[in-house]
Amino acid sequence: MAVNYLDFEEPIVDLEAKIDELRELSGKDGVDFTSEIKKLHRKVNRLRKDTFSKLTPWQRTRLARHQLRPYALDYINHMTTGFVELHGDRLFGDGVSIVGGFARFEGQSVMVIGQQKGRDLKERSFRNFGMAHPEGYRKAVRLMKLAEKFNRPIITLLDTPGAYPGVGAEERGQSEAIARSMMEMAVLRVPVICVVIGEGGSGGALALGVGNRMLMMENAVYSVITPEGCAAILWKSCDKLEEASEALRLTARDLLGFGLIDEIVKEPLGGAHRDPVATASILRRAIRRNLEHFRDLSPEAIVSHREKKFREMGVFA
Amino acid sequence: MSWFTKVKKPLEAIALRKRIPEGVWRKCESCKEIIYSIELERNFNVCSKCGHHHRISAESRIKLLIDENTFKEEDEGLVPVDPLKFRDSRKYKDRISDAQKKTGNKEAIIAGSGLIENRPVEIAAFNFDFMGGSMGSVVGEKVTRTFERALSNKRPAIVVSCSGGARMQEGLFSLMQMAKTAAAVGRLSKAGLPYISVLVDPVTGGVTASFAMLGDIIVAEPGALICFAGPRVIEQTIGKKLPEGFQRSEFLLQHGFVDIVVNRLELKSTIALLLDHMCGQIVCPLPEPEQDEEAEAGPEEQAL
């Protein structure tokens, strides 16, 4: 497992390597290291608990971007059956940084839409690093309206560094696509549950984040700007990432405190990538519980619940 | 001659030059032509030589668009707070009070009601000098309330956007203003009331990507930078220089994201005309042509 770890995990990884070493030796020379191994196990667990209970916001940001972290399609595969991916915005293209389609979730058909990153080099560039073009957002709106037409709840999974800042994206109206998506989502007559599964990157994430409920994975982040962008603009320095991510208050716990999200979804110790199947199962139960709130509400009540939720956002004197 | 006596002469010359009061002349930011300040102001800061539109304050914008003595400001008491206790090289709180002192405004937007050539409207105008016209909770709230007043008073809404985008110092609260304002546009639109979005240099990020791009009609001033991601960010991403005119009003017009590009001096009359087209009094059915006119015309036609 030690292929991919973050620097603050190094002591943990070192200890785990030592355990492996001892285990190997244990059988060979007839020496029994069982008690040492047990001791080290306890130590590594303590260390992990300790490390992960006091992650800095920047460490958490890097965990949220972890290369092995489950992505939208992983969750879709683990949480649903019968997923049929639907493609295209009917205007220009497919917008492959966003995936979506009908799926069976806890016995009912739903529309699930997610921002998709790639794991290897090839897929990462195919998915444009999870940074959608306007056609991705327009496809998402089309699918959400399709869900509304057939009275299916909508689940959106947010995980993007942000909407793509490129020439084609600007030419095809990136801002218009994002703006329209938010406006259309606000009035969908079916329940919408949104989950930040990794990186909630500014407007690019919010474009799919206007829901009745906003859930956030324990190690996900959600922010108005990336710590990199914030540091570059306000600190005029690329290495003030700790300070910028601290100041932005982008962790799930901060945002729950502000009332900007509704619920934190627990992850296994060490992060979602340590056990994607278990994580998906925790999330599945959380989404089901949240969907149940809206089962008996009328379409009007669902819309006004969502409108009220966003109408009340903001603090001033 | 000693070094010190030599220096004396240029000093006198500087003293002489200083006698001309400051601010009488201004240099056009585009053609660098020296223009008489009063003339420039009378022209609403449009260069008379090259037509460059210089930035104007929210007050001047209201003066430009709203009939004299008809503007009634609303929500002027809303002031920003600092929910994140945000601090970079300086405290957010200090940045706010500096901006307030500098502009005399409490926030980056002025909202209210007034008449445009006798047509009642609800209007909001950004002030770029206040923290780059950035949108925090107060700006989002005032824009939303502008739409809501339009809705309850059954009037058109006009928002003149000029903003660097969402205000970082209010974190996710700022981001959520995008959803709040976009949803408010949706409610206004559903009620059949018009919303004209006026885009002036510059409109970027979270403001472009919310209410600014959702107007029934989108009007832009010439040469305004209108974008989601700023040119510098894009150049960094793609590693190439961007062509001249990229993301300017005319570029958006060409790509179908702006309805019309209008010179500042014709902005008011254009908006008035558009309002007439969208919600002016409908005279229906059209009056029949008068009988006797037809009778008179008849024989003449025959004679021809």
Side-chain angles (χ1 to χ4, degrees):
Chain A
M1 66 114 267
V3 228
N4 213 301
Y5 57 89
L6 303 169
D7 50 10
F8 58 85
E9 293 180 285
E10 215 160 297
I12 301 172
V13 174
D14 285 350
L15 265 181
E16 278 177 337
K18 212 181 243 170
I19 293 174
D20 285 347
E21 215 174 287
L22 280 180
R23 203 173 272 151
E24 220 159 89
L25 282 174
S26 210
K28 263 185 205 158
D29 305 337
V31 204
D32 190 17
F33 287 118
T34 322
S35 66
E36 275 84 356
I37 290 175
K38 248 187 199 158
K39 229 191 271 167
L40 281 178
H41 255 303
R42 271 200 296 275
K43 198 173 166 193
V44 87
N45 280 341
R46 256 202 321 273
L47 188 62
R48 185 176 287 141
K49 218 174 208 168
D50 202 44
T51 309
F52 282 87
S53 66
K54 49 183 188 207
L55 289 180
T56 67
W58 175 238
Q59 286 172 334
R60 220 179 274 278
T61 305
R62 293 174 56 211
L63 204 56
R65 295 173 181 171
H66 201 291
Q67 217 183 327
L68 295 177
R69 205 172 160 79
Y71 294 146
L73 281 173
D74 300 315
Y75 282 109
I76 292 173
N77 286 335
H78 291 311
M79 297 194 304
T80 71
T81 56
F83 175 59
V84 186
E85 192 183 342
L86 303 171
H87 295 271
D89 69 347
R90 302 292 191 268
L91 293 162
F92 180 84
D94 186 16
V96 291
S97 309
I98 292 176
V99 296
F102 284 117
R104 207 162 298 120
F105 176 85
E106 301 283 295
Q108 68 172 326
S109 282
V110 299
M111 177 61 73
V112 54
I113 297 169
Q115 295 170 323
Q116 180 66 29
K117 291 179 177 177
R119 204 148 335 257
D120 57 34
L121 205 62
K122 202 174 146 201
E123 210 206 338
R124 247 184 279 170
S125 94
F126 173 66
R127 298 290 182 191
N128 200 29
F129 305 88
M131 294 185 282
H133 279 81
E135 42 276 22
Y137 296 111
R138 293 190 177 119
K139 170 173 73 175
V141 171
R142 182 177 77 82
L143 297 183
M144 290 191 263
K145 291 196 150 188
L146 195 63
E148 182 185 42
K149 181 172 173 182
F150 298 104
N151 197 23
R152 303 296 173 212
I154 297 166
I155 299 166
T156 67
L157 306 173
L158 314 186
D159 190 14
T160 177
Y164 186 61
V167 174
E170 293 288 324
E171 284 175 339
R172 299 194 291 280
Q174 187 71 285
S175 1
E176 195 271 351
I178 293 170
R180 193 156 301 273
S181 182
M182 293 186 300
M183 187 169 79
E184 299 285 4
M185 277 189 94
V187 292
L188 288 168
R189 291 163 63 83
V190 292
V192 183
I193 311 290
C194 308
V195 190
V196 188
I197 56 171
E199 253 184 303
S202 192
L206 178 63
L208 301 185
V210 185
N212 294 89
R213 294 280 169 154
M214 174 56 87
L215 278 50
M216 219 171 139
M217 301 307 294
E218 192 183 350
N219 292 314
V221 291
Y222 191 11
S223 173
V224 66
I225 186 168
T226 56
E228 286 90 340
C230 183
I233 296 170
L234 289 182
W235 277 267
K236 314 226 176 326
S237 150
C238 297
D239 42 51
K240 296 286 185 188
L241 298 171
E242 286 279 1
E243 288 86 343
S245 46
E246 182 94 45
L248 283 167
R249 311 291 291 270
L250 41 63
T251 66
R253 195 182 298 176
D254 281 327
L255 298 174
L256 186 71
F258 290 137
L260 291 168
I261 62 164
D262 300 298
E263 188 178 324
I264 299 174
V265 181
K266 278 290 248 183
E267 288 181 27
L269 189 60
H273 60 288
R274 294 286 161 149
D275 194 346
V277 178
T279 313
S281 148
I282 301 170
L283 179 59
R284 177 173 47 81
R285 284 196 294 272
I287 294 174
R288 184 183 60 192
R289 183 163 30 76
N290 279 284
L291 269 178
E292 268 164 17
H293 278 284
F294 300 95
R295 202 177 46 192
D296 300 323
L297 289 190
S298 69
E300 291 74 27
I302 290 167
V303 174
S304 71
H305 170 270
R306 197 182 309 119
E307 283 193 325
K308 187 165 170 280
K309 176 185 168 73
F310 282 90
R311 178 63 190 86
E312 283 167 1
M313 283 190 179
V315 280
F316 42 82
Chain B
M1 203 199 291
S2 88
W3 289 101
F4 298 100
T5 41
K6 250 185 180 176
V7 186
K8 253 187 170 174
K9 261 189 182 168
L11 271 178
E12 269 171 36
I14 288 168
L16 245 174
R17 241 187 282 150
K18 268 208 163 168
R19 260 189 241 152
I20 303 165
E22 243 178 80
V24 168
W25 299 96
R26 270 183 56 191
K27 200 190 218 172
C28 170
E29 282 165 23
S30 175
C31 68
K32 312 286 179 217
E33 192 76 37
I34 306 293
I35 318 163
Y36 192 37
S37 282
I38 295 173
E39 187 194 313
L40 189 63
E41 257 161 54
R42 209 181 290 132
N43 216 23
F44 287 101
N45 268 12
V46 178
C47 173
S48 50
K49 304 285 190 310
C50 73
H52 178 75
H53 285 51
H54 293 89
R55 212 163 278 154
I56 58 175
S57 68
E59 284 93 349
S60 311
R61 183 62 61 176
I62 300 287
K63 210 170 136 199
L64 169 78
L65 294 178
I66 299 294
D67 299 350
E68 218 177 330
N69 296 326
T70 65
F71 182 68
K72 186 173 160 283
E73 192 175 351
E74 301 274 0
D75 301 321
E76 65 264 50
L78 290 191
V79 287
V81 294
D82 179 15
L84 271 56
K85 311 261 177 297
F86 196 98
R87 155 171 221 160
D88 46 273
S89 55
R90 299 184 54 213
K91 283 185 187 161
Y92 175 40
K93 275 196 168 155
D94 295 341
R95 284 187 196 266
I96 296 172
S97 55
D98 279 7
Q100 286 171 334
K101 266 178 224 145
K102 181 174 143 200
T103 59
N105 298 147
K106 289 203 177 93
E107 250 293 356
I109 195 166
I110 293 179
S113 61
L115 302 176
I116 292 184
E117 293 183 6
N118 284 320
R119 298 154 185 86
V121 296
E122 295 295 336
I123 186 167
F126 277 76
N127 196 357
F128 194 82
D129 281 341
F130 194 109
M131 294 189 76
S134 56
M135 174 164 69
S137 294
V138 171
V139 170
E141 182 69 17
K142 285 175 94 164
V143 169
T144 304
R145 288 191 190 181
T146 301
F147 292 132
E148 287 172 347
R149 273 197 309 277
L151 190 61
S152 57
N153 297 333
K154 297 201 166 31
R155 284 177 187 169
I158 291 156
V159 180
V160 185
S161 297
C162 177
S163 166
R167 187 175 295 169
M168 273 178 284
Q169 290 88 344
E170 287 185 34
L172 208 67
F173 284 104
S174 296
L175 191 71
M176 291 304 150
Q177 304 311 309
M178 293 170 64
K180 182 163 101 179
T181 53
V185 174
R187 291 195 291 274
L188 186 71
S189 180
K190 201 175 151 201
L193 289 159
Y195 158 39
I196 299 180
S197 173
V198 182
L199 309 180
V200 306
D201 185 64
V203 202
T204 69
V207 168
T208 327
S210 58
F211 57 89
M213 268 293 150
L214 294 172
D216 292 305
I217 292 178
I218 300 177
V219 181
E221 281 190 349
L225 176 74
I226 303 162
C227 59
F228 174 66
R232 238 182 315 155
V233 175
I234 296 178
E235 281 178 347
Q236 272 169 17
T237 310
I238 63 172
K240 265 188 253 169
K241 266 281 197 221
L242 292 166
E244 183 86 4
F246 182 71
Q247 300 178 312
R248 297 285 161 179
S249 306
E250 298 72 17
F251 174 92
L252 270 88
L253 185 74
Q254 205 184 349
H255 285 88
F257 288 98
V258 154
D259 285 287
I260 20 173
V261 176
V262 177
N263 190 296
R264 188 174 292 163
L265 302 173
E266 288 154 18
L267 192 57
K268 182 173 180 173
S269 57
T270 307
I271 292 175
L273 182 59
L274 286 169
L275 290 178
D276 265 357
H277 284 311
M278 289 188 285
C279 55
Q281 224 187 348
I282 297 165
V283 188
C284 185
L286 290 169
E288 294 274 324
E290 281 179 34
Q291 278 297 313
D292 50 0
E293 250 178 50
E294 242 184 11
E296 270 171 33
E300 263 177 58
E301 262 172 25
Q302 272 176 352
L304 282 166

